[in-house]
Amino acid sequence: MKKISILIALRNEERIILSCLENLKRAINEFYQGEKNKNNFEIEILLGDDNSDDKSAEIINEFIKKNQNTNYTYFKIDKLLNKINQNNLKGKVNVIYQLINQSEGETLILLDADILVNQNWLQELIKKYYQKESIKMVMGTTIPKINQESFFTNFQTIDWIFGQGVLAIFSKLGFPQTAMGNNLAFDKKIYQELGGYENIQFSVTEDVALFKAFQNYINGRWWRQQQKKQNCQTLQSVRQVSNPQKNKNQFFLQLFNSKSLAFTEAELTLKDWILQRHRWFCGAWQFSNFIKKGLLITYLFRIIFFIGIVVGIFLGGNSYLILAVFTILGINYLLILSFLVKLKLKISLSIFLQVFLFCLLEQFLYLLVGIHFLKTKKVKWKGREF
């Protein structure tokens, strides 16, 4: 029987954790509706509390008491002051590290505490994970819920959809770029062979660090790095891993569909959104080469390109420049609409308009992220600074 461990890291989540657990319970019940799943899979849920000072513990313990037919475990996180590589085990990374150490599953699923999964989520994630032996990591789809009363929330929803949709295209073409750890399944054995988070370079985007470590492991770079460091890996083992399957990126599968869909909370203010995106870009920057760093900077400051085109239009009236602007905006608009259809989300007249506004405003808001990124690489998150 295969064992699956669902791991949830939390810190001061009293407002949302009960909804997270209730939705997860429905997904597990749906998963076990199939007799085959009931006979072949065992599920445990582990919750690691990173020093919450609200009522999270009380809410979780009460939920566990009422649901003793499912294997839930809740515990407080230690600071690991005696660890040699404690610099790699800070904040959420430390929580996930300890959750994995406590887990018994061969397949690990990471969920954030503010994630609300749909009832088909677990069935879809596990089905796709086990469909090919080569797959070692599967990412579900995560977006904030559309809110008819808040354009700012919908702006973030469209932003999440656009970003993941584009990443899904790259992944489908055989060039996966990253993974999101709020809705992610991966192989425990490879994680352990990597030495766990204790041996993975610390990052404020621990999911990106994990994805890059898996990617390096699969294509052989990790083994070669270890050989240089320790000079103890046999050439035969290096040769075996350095010559993987023809498509070495088949280890990763990014799902972009309604069945794997889970909902996260949108940021409440523009400042919070900028800080969130700043954290993401700091993580992406950390693991990027020279070319990718150039692309990141270009993405953040692409408004300068558009301003140049607009100025050129007004000064020169060049019809080719006008066509270029509308072509770029039109492609973005049609891509987003196609992504909404792919996720089977309801598209109203209001959404059509909001997608159009997003295409116009997105570059201006990312300029603010870019300015903040140039000012500092320090990240503020969950009341801590990294």
Side-chain angles (χ1 to χ4, degrees), residues 64-100:
I64 292 174
K65 282 182 186 177
K66 293 178 180 178
N67 294 275
Q68 295 186 9
N69 58 328
T70 305
N71 185 5
Y72 290 94
T73 302
Y74 167 76
F75 61 94
K76 296 278 188 178
I77 296 299
D78 297 325
K79 290 185 178 179
L80 294 178
L81 295 178
N82 61 336
K83 276 287 176 186
I84 297 174
N85 291 332
Q86 59 180 300
N87 287 336
N88 287 345
L89 301 173
K90 295 180 286 189
K92 187 179 178 181
V93 175
N94 178 29
V95 183
I96 297 173
Y97 171 79
Q98 294 193 45
L99 281 168
I100 294 175

Side-chain angles (χ1 to χ4, degrees), residues 286-376:
Q286 180 181 355
F287 295 101
S288 296
N289 56 27
F290 179 78
I291 295 175
K292 286 187 177 179
K293 284 179 178 178
L295 291 173
L296 285 171
I297 289 294
T298 302
Y299 182 80
L300 288 174
F301 292 96
R302 66 194 185 282
I303 183 62
I304 297 172
F305 168 74
F306 277 99
I307 289 173
I309 290 179
V310 171
V311 170
I313 289 170
F314 280 106
L315 292 180
N318 191 314
S319 59
Y320 290 108
L321 289 176
I322 296 172
L323 181 62
V325 169
F326 282 99
T327 298
I328 293 169
L329 292 177
I331 290 172
N332 286 353
Y333 186 78
L334 292 175
L335 268 177
I336 293 167
L337 290 180
S338 69
F339 294 156
L340 287 166
V341 171
K342 174 73 173 172
L343 296 178
K344 298 182 179 178
L345 297 173
K346 186 178 179 182
I347 306 176
S348 62
L349 182 61
S350 171
I351 295 300
F352 274 106
L353 178 60
Q354 290 181 62
V355 171
F356 177 73
L357 290 174
F358 169 84
C359 292
L360 294 177
L361 296 175
E362 178 217 16
Q363 54 204 307
F364 290 95
L365 293 184
Y366 270 99
L367 175 64
L368 300 178
V369 178
I371 292 170
H372 187 66
F373 179 74
L374 291 182
K375 282 172 59 180
T376 180

Side-chain angles (χ1 to χ4, degrees), residues 129-235:
Y129 182 85
Y130 283 102
Q131 72 178 4
K132 286 183 182 179
E133 192 177 340
S134 60
I135 294 174
K136 303 300 179 184
M137 182 177 280
V138 174
M139 181 180 111
T141 311
T142 308
I143 62 171
K145 266 193 173 180
I146 289 176
N147 185 336
Q148 298 298 333
E149 299 177 359
S150 171
F151 170 68
F152 185 56
T153 296
N154 291 346
F155 174 89
Q156 294 177 70
T157 302
I158 295 166
D159 193 26
W160 281 68
I161 290 171
F162 187 42
Q164 286 175 79
V166 171
L167 287 174
I169 292 172
F170 276 101
S171 183
K172 193 77 173 174
L173 293 172
F175 303 101
Q177 298 299 307
T178 189
M180 296 174 64
N182 56 12
N183 184 357
L184 184 70
F186 59 96
D187 183 81
K188 187 178 185 179
K189 184 179 178 182
I190 290 181
Y191 170 85
Q192 290 174 328
E193 289 186 10
L194 287 166
Y197 269 114
E198 188 180 357
N199 198 42
I200 296 173
Q201 183 183 356
F202 175 78
S203 173
V204 290
T205 51
E206 76 294 329
D207 41 12
V208 179
L210 183 65
F211 171 83
K212 290 298 181 184
F214 265 64
Q215 192 175 48
N216 288 339
Y217 178 94
I218 296 297
N219 64 28
R221 280 200 298 267
W222 183 86
W223 289 94
R224 291 191 290 273
Q225 289 167 3
Q226 295 305 305
Q227 188 188 31
K228 286 179 181 178
K229 285 180 184 178
Q230 301 174 14
N231 198 29
C232 63
Q233 182 66 42
T234 66
L235 289 173

Side-chain angles (χ1 to χ4, degrees), residues 46-60:
L46 287 82
L47 299 104
D49 190 337
D50 188 12
N51 298 301
S52 295
D53 53 17
D54 63 0
K55 294 182 179 178
S56 294
E58 182 181 327
I59 293 168
I60 293 168

Side-chain angles (χ1 to χ4, degrees), residues 212-278:
K212 290 298 181 184
F214 265 64
Q215 192 175 48
N216 288 339
Y217 178 94
I218 296 297
N219 64 28
R221 280 200 298 267
W222 183 86
W223 289 94
R224 291 191 290 273
Q225 289 167 3
Q226 295 305 305
Q227 188 188 31
K228 286 179 181 178
K229 285 180 184 178
Q230 301 174 14
N231 198 29
C232 63
Q233 182 66 42
T234 66
L235 289 173
Q236 183 182 1
S237 297
V238 175
R239 198 176 295 116
Q240 286 172 350
V241 182
S242 297
N243 294 287
Q245 57 225 355
K246 288 183 180 180
N247 187 352
K248 60 190 176 186
N249 288 317
Q250 283 183 350
F251 81 97
F252 177 73
L253 180 63
Q254 180 182 342
L255 304 180
F256 192 68
N257 57 36
S258 59
K259 289 183 178 179
S260 70
L261 192 60
F263 296 99
T264 186
E265 291 199 306
E267 298 299 328
L268 297 176
T269 67
L270 178 60
K271 179 182 177 182
D272 291 335
W273 180 83
I274 290 172
L275 291 176
Q276 182 190 58
R277 293 307 189 271
H278 175 253

